[in-house]
Amino acid sequence: MTSREVVVLSVGGMRFVTRASTLQQFPESRLARMLNDDDREFKLVSGEFFVDRDGALFSYIMDFLRTLQVSLPTDFSDYQRLQREAEFYGLYPLANLLSQEHLLKPRLEILEVRFSLQEMQAFFRIFGSCSTTIEALAEQITVFTGQQSGQGWNSPFPSQKPLVPLPLERPSHHDMVFLCGTEYSAGDQFVARYVSIKPDNRKLINGTNVLGLLLDTLLKDGFRLISTRTVVSEEKVECYTFERMKRAAGLTFTVNQTPGSSGVAQARRSQVQKGK
């Protein structure tokens, strides 16, 4: 059988079609030996290899062989069963990884938004347990400043005057601070700060509107609002707490092979996630 030939497997009643070269990723595995009729556990029936094992879990085995990556659903919990399947097929690099469940289990991520209104300004502070989320959010949020005439919080956007983007305050890798609204400058001039949150293109000056857009952005990003409370009643500081389950960084296997060797598999993270 050559590496170009197609192999059909029936595992627990589920049918899988793949290339021989995919099953030979790890030459010492039982799946590779199966192609040479070296394993009696695999019966060749009507041109298909019959395997009396769990077909649903074998789909993860096949995904691993095709991509050399481990990708599991957020709600996956059958680590021990999948580990046993990996051991059965002789895929020990995968079995060893699955024995370290903490590398693959989803992690609870917490994010907190603090919001307060003072006269014609609104103050925001966002704190998150994952610094990469804060960094991504900081790239979405832009504060623009400029001067305008008139009074107030709800003055229309002064398109005739240029606005200058301001950098967000970043007290640490885990939080950011910004404000919007207006404050007196000189005479009837106001310094105005507008907030834009991608992918929305609007520039908002009203703090309540900015808060609504920010909360909607977080909900669309997979967060769930779990509590709302007033932190400092005198200053009317409101706190909104969100959570979401976040999959740990994926692992990629690289296989170093030399002619005649069984290959050495090394695991590395396919993505670097900070702040974990």
Side-chain angles (χ1 to χ4, degrees), residues 165-176:
L166 292 176
L168 297 177
E169 292 185 37
R170 296 293 305 277
S172 73
H173 292 296
H174 288 270
D175 62 347
M176 71 175 75

Side-chain angles (χ1 to χ4, degrees), residues 90-240:
L91 297 171
Y92 296 106
L94 177 59
N96 293 336
L97 175 63
L98 291 166
S99 68
Q100 305 176 58
E101 295 182 22
H102 66 281
L103 294 177
L104 299 172
K105 279 186 175 180
R107 302 180 183 184
L108 182 63
E109 181 181 356
I110 300 296
L111 189 139
E112 180 182 280
V113 176
R114 293 199 177 196
F115 167 73
S116 66
L117 289 174
Q118 296 182 18
E119 297 181 351
M120 294 186 296
Q121 290 186 315
F123 295 81
F124 293 83
R125 183 189 178 193
I126 304 175
F127 175 85
S129 60
C130 177
S131 64
T132 52
T133 296
I134 297 297
E135 290 170 4
L137 196 56
E139 293 181 358
Q140 290 180 262
I141 299 175
T142 305
V143 177
F144 297 89
T145 185
Q147 286 196 342
Q148 69 178 78
S149 300
Q151 299 185 7
W153 178 259
N154 293 307
S155 298
F157 169 62
S159 58
Q160 73 277 12
K161 294 186 178 180
L163 295 177
V164 179
L166 292 176
L168 297 177
E169 292 185 37
R170 296 293 305 277
S172 73
H173 292 296
H174 288 270
D175 62 347
M176 71 175 75
V177 178
F178 63 92
L179 59 88
C180 66
T182 58
E183 62 180 343
Y184 287 105
S185 175
D188 64 346
Q189 295 292 311
F190 286 81
V191 174
R193 288 184 176 86
Y194 298 81
V195 173
S196 175
I197 305 177
K198 296 176 182 178
D200 194 293
N201 293 321
R202 292 173 296 169
K203 294 180 175 65
L204 304 176
I205 192 171
N206 185 294
T208 302
N209 293 341
V210 173
L211 176 64
L213 179 58
L214 175 60
L215 301 186
D216 184 59
T217 301
L218 294 174
L219 292 173
K220 289 180 179 179
D221 196 32
F223 281 96
R224 181 173 68 95
L225 181 64
I226 59 175
S227 71
T228 303
R229 68 186 191 278
T230 300
V231 180
V232 183
S233 57
E234 295 81 6
E235 299 180 0
K236 297 182 180 179
V237 179
E238 301 173 3
C239 179
Y240 301 82

Side-chain angles (χ1 to χ4, degrees), residues 7-59:
V7 181
V8 180
L9 300 95
S10 177
V11 184
M14 296 180 64
R15 193 168 181 265
F16 298 86
V17 181
T18 186
R19 291 181 180 274
S21 58
T22 301
L23 300 177
Q24 293 169 332
Q25 289 278 16
F26 298 89
E28 294 300 319
S29 71
R30 297 182 74 175
L31 290 170
R33 298 201 306 270
M34 171 192 74
L35 300 179
N36 299 321
D37 297 324
D38 289 343
D39 198 313
R40 296 181 180 180
E41 187 73 32
F42 301 89
K43 306 294 184 182
L44 187 61
V45 180
S46 301
E48 298 183 8
F49 286 98
F50 173 78
V51 190
D52 190 18
R53 303 293 294 190
D54 191 305
L57 292 179
F58 188 71
S59 64

